[in-house]
């Protein structure tokens, strides 16, 4: 399967500057605020998922947790992983605690960051149409540019894609 070079709903492409953000979230050590500016100088994975504690999102998060030590930046550093959903911080805290997650989850309740990345899209479930997150993943390089991305991520195949994308950094 080949990767598309332009993210459909936005002007983002591999090599484009990643959208700036400041979001509240929950990490393994408690509440935190994360900004794209503070992340400059280190590559990171920004992955968007629909809703905490649902089966697919749990599979994806636990797989990342279980393989986090293997996700290494060329040169040896561990990859910073940030999950983003429209959940509130309290839901993120419950998800992190219940699943013993070892990375940070960010709350994008107004879906502004999801819109900036083009992953807040029309969806259909059981004939009902609504707006929601398209499960997607973005590898951002140390300079704050999109190094790789994958839309319509399959939860059980996410780690393999991240490992492959890291090998191309």
């Amino acid at each position: 399967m080949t990767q598309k070079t332009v993210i459909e709903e936005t002007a983002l492409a591999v090599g484009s500057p990643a959208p700036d953000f400041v979001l509240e979230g929950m990490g393994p050590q408690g509440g935190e605020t994360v900004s794209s500016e503070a992340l400059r100088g280190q590559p990171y994975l920004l992955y968007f998922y629909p809703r905490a504690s649902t089966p697919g999102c749990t599979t994806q998060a636990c797989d990342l947790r279980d393989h986090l030590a293997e996700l290494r930046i060329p040169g040896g550093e561990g990859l910073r992983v940030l999950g983003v959903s429209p959940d509130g911080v309290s839901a993120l805290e419950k998800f992190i605690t219940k699943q013993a997650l070892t990375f940070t989850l960010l709350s994008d309740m107004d879906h502004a960051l999801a819109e900036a990345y083009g992953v807040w899209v029309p969806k259909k479930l059981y004939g009902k149409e609504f707006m929601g997150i398209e499960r997607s993943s973005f590898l951002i390089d140390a300079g704050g540019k999109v190094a790789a991305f994958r839309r319509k991520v399959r939860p059980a195949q996410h780690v393999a894609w991240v490992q492959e994308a890291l090998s191309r950094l």
Side-chain angles (χ1 to χ4, degrees):
M1 183 180 288
T2 60
Q3 177 178 324
K4 295 178 183 178
T5 56
V6 176
I7 301 169
E8 293 155 6
E9 285 78 15
T10 71
L12 288 179
V14 171
S16 294
D20 289 329
F21 68 89
V22 176
L23 291 175
E24 297 296 319
M26 188 60 60
Q29 307 305 317
E32 59 183 283
T33 301
V34 178
S35 72
S36 53
E37 187 60 36
L39 294 167
R40 293 252 196 271
Q42 65 176 353
Y44 60 95
L45 178 71
L46 195 64
Y47 83 94
F48 292 86
Y49 63 98
R51 188 168 171 204
S53 298
T54 57
C57 297
T58 299
T59 296
Q60 184 177 22
C62 290
D63 200 28
L64 281 164
R65 176 202 64 206
D66 295 346
H67 293 92
L68 194 59
E70 300 164 26
L71 300 178
R72 316 281 316 155
I73 298 163
E77 256 182 80
L79 179 66
R80 177 87 189 259
V81 173
L82 302 165
V84 181
S85 76
D87 295 304
V89 174
S90 63
L92 301 179
E93 181 177 25
K94 288 176 188 170
F95 190 36
I96 282 179
T97 301
K98 184 173 183 182
Q99 302 304 329
L101 300 180
T102 55
F103 53 88
T104 301
L105 300 177
L106 301 173
S107 175
D108 186 26
M109 289 180 65
D110 65 357
H111 45 81
L113 188 60
E115 288 181 32
Y117 274 89
V119 301
W120 186 253
V121 299
K123 298 176 88 174
K124 189 182 243 185
L125 183 64
Y126 304 117
K128 182 180 174 186
E129 292 185 23
F130 59 97
M131 294 297 289
I133 296 284
E134 178 180 68
R135 192 181 307 275
S136 303
S137 195
F138 299 84
L139 183 60
I140 310 302
D141 69 18
K145 295 187 180 194
V146 176
F149 66 88
R150 169 69 48 100
R151 295 185 65 138
K152 298 182 181 177
V153 168
R154 293 180 183 257
Q157 298 169 353
H158 189 214
V159 168
W161 175 81
V162 175
Q163 290 169 324
E164 189 268 327
L166 279 170
S167 73
R168 292 184 278 128
L169 267 186

